[in-house]
């Protein structure tokens, strides 16, 4: 087997999929100005794996490493190194790259027996895994119900019937990050469901071009970008988010992983390594993104001639400490790996560290953005409307006179500030700050998982040991017999 080339990936997107933006249907995401540059950036990832100096890191036996079920600590490290290459290619701003769901599918394949209930979806889980891995497909996912949707709300995606060979589903899911660029989309739920939610306890994967499946895109930051110079990140790395709507979509049984079983729909993510694999990829990308923001802060301080000022040096030190913190979570999750299904399903990153990473990342990212904003200063809001003004015969000399510093010529400083604004101040940047807070679920989901499985028993036992070591004595100032 060999991985797809970028050209082969791009060609796969021309399949008649129904994508809507600004009230118009998009004919071809590889050509449309709202999507084409990001599609090209994703195609570049495939080229890196297919035939480049990075191919040995990104693949093993002709398959991307994210698809391999890790059997050892060394396998986890190898997978992380592959995640890191792709994360660096998008500077951490492409969150749902193909290796994300690839790693989750490997999690399903590690313990398919989790799905062997009244409806046995284990075969469908293995088929999904093999299909994605063997064809090197890009799968996205939508796991969130529309805001405010209740138990009887017909807006939520649900099963509305059965036919020969499959089921029929209707309703909506959000947030389909990168779904417009994917080959397939996995639809399910990651939150606990109630006893009345059987019709909604369904998980399946279908091609994005499936009849009756519609993706409604949010505003495209790429489409609004004036140029790569003016919007260097949003013009190339806007992975987009879309609302998924199913209008009586037929799903063959061989693509149905869970069916009318609320426990199985939940176990799929939490009793397999799927979510932990999500975090492994996401944490590696987050570490990379903080490296980028820190490098940006250093260059801004040097361009402004403030790098050697003690408050600035301290701010850079805080940012570098956060980078080390993000890196430490990745390495610690790998080092605290645990066997899956007593080793039959390989190994997975440590649960408590992985869950804690989500708490850390959501709190840390806004702090890092704030540091960069403070270091950039007012220059972020006093920029030419367009970089082309630097080439204007009258404006160019004027701007070069007043926008440069002794340390940095105007052209280079404006270019740097445009990059900084796109990273921390633009609408694209605002989306990323919100994304880092919620990209692995709402806090009430991962905080509960931390409380349930994050090592509370060990903390409790430490205090109980202390309590057991002393008691009430005649002399209350003296330790009880045997106390240490």
């Amino acid at each position: 087997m060999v991985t797809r080339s970028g050209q082969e990936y791009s060609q796969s997107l021309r399949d008649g999929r129904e994508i809507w933006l600004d009230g118009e249907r998009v004919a071809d995401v590889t050509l449309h100005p709202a999507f084409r540059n990001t599609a090209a950036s994703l195609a570049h990832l495939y080229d890196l794996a297919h035939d480049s100096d990075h191919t040995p890191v990104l693949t093993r036996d002709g398959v991307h490493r994210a698809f391999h079920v890790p059997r050892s600590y060394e396998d986890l490290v190898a997978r992380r190194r592959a995640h890191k290459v792709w994360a660096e290619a998008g500077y951490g701003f492409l969150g749902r790259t193909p290796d994300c769901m690839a790693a989750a599918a490997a999690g399903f394949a590690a313990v398919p027996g989790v799905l062997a209930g009244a409806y046995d979806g284990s075969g469908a889980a293995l088929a999904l895994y093999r299909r994605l891995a063997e064809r090197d497909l890009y799968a996205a996912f939508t796991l969130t119900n529309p805001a405010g949707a209740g138990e009887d709300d017909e807006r939520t995606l649900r099963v509305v019937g059965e036919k020969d060979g499959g089921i029929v589903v209707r309703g909506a899911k959000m947030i389909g990050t990168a779904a417009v660029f994917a080959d397939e989309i996995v639809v399910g739920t990651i939150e606990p469901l109630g006893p009345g939610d059987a019709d909604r306890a369904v998980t399946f994967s279908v091609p994005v071009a499936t009849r009756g499946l519609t993706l409604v895109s949010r505003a495209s930051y790429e489409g609004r970008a004036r140029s790569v110079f003016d919007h260097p990140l949003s013009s190339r790395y806007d992975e987009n988010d879309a609302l998924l709507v199913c209008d009586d979509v037929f799903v063959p049984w061989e693509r149905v992983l869970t069916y009318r079983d609320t426990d199985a729909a939940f176990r799929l993510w939490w009793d397999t390594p799927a979510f932990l694999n999500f975090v492994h990829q996401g944490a590696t990308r987050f570490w990379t993104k903080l490296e980028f923001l820190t490098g940006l802060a250093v260059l801004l301080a040097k361009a402004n001639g403030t790098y050697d000022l003690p408050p600035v040096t301290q701010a850079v030190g805080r940012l570098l400490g956060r980078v080390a913190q993000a890196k430490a979570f990745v390495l610690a999750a790998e080092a605290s790996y645990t066997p899956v299904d007593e080793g039959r399903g390989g190994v997975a990153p440590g649960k408590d560290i992985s869950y804690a990473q989500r708490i850390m990342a959501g709190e840390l990212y806004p702090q890092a953005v704030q540091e960069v904003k403070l270091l950039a200063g007012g220059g972020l809001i006093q920029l030419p409307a367009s970089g082309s003004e630097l080439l204007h015969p009258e404006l160019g000399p004027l701007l070069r006179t007043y926008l440069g510093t002794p340390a940095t010529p105007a052209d280079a400083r404006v270019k740097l500030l445009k990059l900084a604004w796109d990273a921390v101040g633009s609408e694209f940047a605002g989306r990323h700050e919100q994304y880092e807070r919620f990209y692995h679920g709402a806090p009430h989901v991962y905080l509960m998982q931390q409380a349930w499985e994050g090592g509370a028993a060990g903390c409790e036992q430490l205090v109980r040991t202390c309590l057991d070591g002393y008691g009430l004595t005649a002399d209350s100032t003296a330790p009880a017999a045997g106390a240490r």
Side-chain angles (χ1 to χ4, degrees), residues 95-396:
R96 303 294 192 196
T97 43
D99 53 336
C100 182
M101 190 59 221
F108 300 158
V111 276
V114 166
L115 300 178
Y119 170 80
D120 189 348
S122 58
L126 289 172
L128 169 66
Y129 168 69
R130 294 191 186 103
R131 183 170 64 250
L132 298 182
E134 291 172 2
R135 296 168 56 188
D136 198 19
L137 298 180
Y138 185 176
F141 54 91
T142 55
L143 306 176
T144 306
N145 293 327
E151 188 174 285
D152 298 323
D153 195 325
E154 293 191 354
R155 295 178 301 159
T156 304
L157 189 137
R158 64 204 184 282
V159 178
V160 295
E162 294 186 16
K163 290 184 177 181
D164 289 342
I167 61 174
V168 179
V169 297
R170 183 188 305 157
K173 283 283 185 177
M174 51 182 287
I175 302 168
T177 301
V180 299
F181 302 108
D183 296 294
E184 292 196 14
I185 186 160
V186 177
V187 183
T189 181
I190 202 166
E191 301 181 8
L193 295 173
D197 289 326
D199 288 342
R200 295 161 180 80
V202 59
T203 309
F204 59 88
S205 182
V206 292
V208 173
T210 296
R211 182 178 179 181
L213 190 156
T214 302
L215 292 173
V216 183
S217 168
R218 57 138 166 91
S220 168
Y221 309 131
E222 178 183 330
R224 296 177 177 181
R226 302 186 68 167
S227 67
V228 174
F229 184 94
D230 292 306
H231 300 94
L233 298 173
S234 55
S235 65
R236 296 179 292 167
Y237 307 113
D238 180 18
E239 62 189 344
N240 205 277
D241 308 285
L243 173 71
L244 175 141
V245 180
C246 290
D247 183 12
D248 290 354
V249 168
F250 176 72
V251 184
W253 286 119
E254 58 266 26
R255 288 179 170 270
V256 179
L257 281 68
T258 70
Y259 182 62
R260 299 184 58 80
D261 185 335
T262 57
D263 290 337
F266 187 74
R267 291 196 307 268
L268 175 67
W269 303 101
W270 301 105
D271 287 0
T272 74
F275 185 81
L276 297 175
N277 290 353
F278 272 161
V279 176
H280 195 209
Q281 183 269 347
T284 304
R285 180 202 54 79
F286 183 78
W287 161 25
T288 305
K289 199 172 187 179
L290 286 189
E291 287 180 320
F292 180 86
L293 290 183
T294 301
L296 193 57
V298 170
L299 290 176
L300 286 167
K302 289 183 176 180
N304 290 337
T306 60
Y307 185 73
D308 294 325
L309 297 178
V312 174
T313 304
Q314 292 169 18
V316 171
R318 280 193 295 272
L319 283 167
L320 286 169
R322 289 174 177 134
V323 170
Q325 187 177 351
K327 177 181 178 180
F329 270 90
V330 176
L331 302 188
E334 294 167 357
S336 62
Y337 70 90
T338 56
V340 177
D341 191 22
E342 299 182 344
R344 289 182 290 271
V347 299
K351 276 188 179 181
D352 54 346
I353 302 296
S354 296
Y355 294 159
Q357 192 276 340
R358 289 303 312 117
I359 300 170
M360 176 276 298
E363 296 173 353
L364 191 152
Y365 190 76
Q367 298 170 14
V369 167
Q370 182 68 6
E371 292 279 13
V372 176
K373 287 181 177 179
L374 290 173
L375 290 172
L380 279 182
I381 55 176
Q382 188 61 72
L383 285 168
S386 170
S388 63
E389 292 182 351
L390 291 165
L391 304 176
H392 192 278
E394 296 180 38
L395 285 177

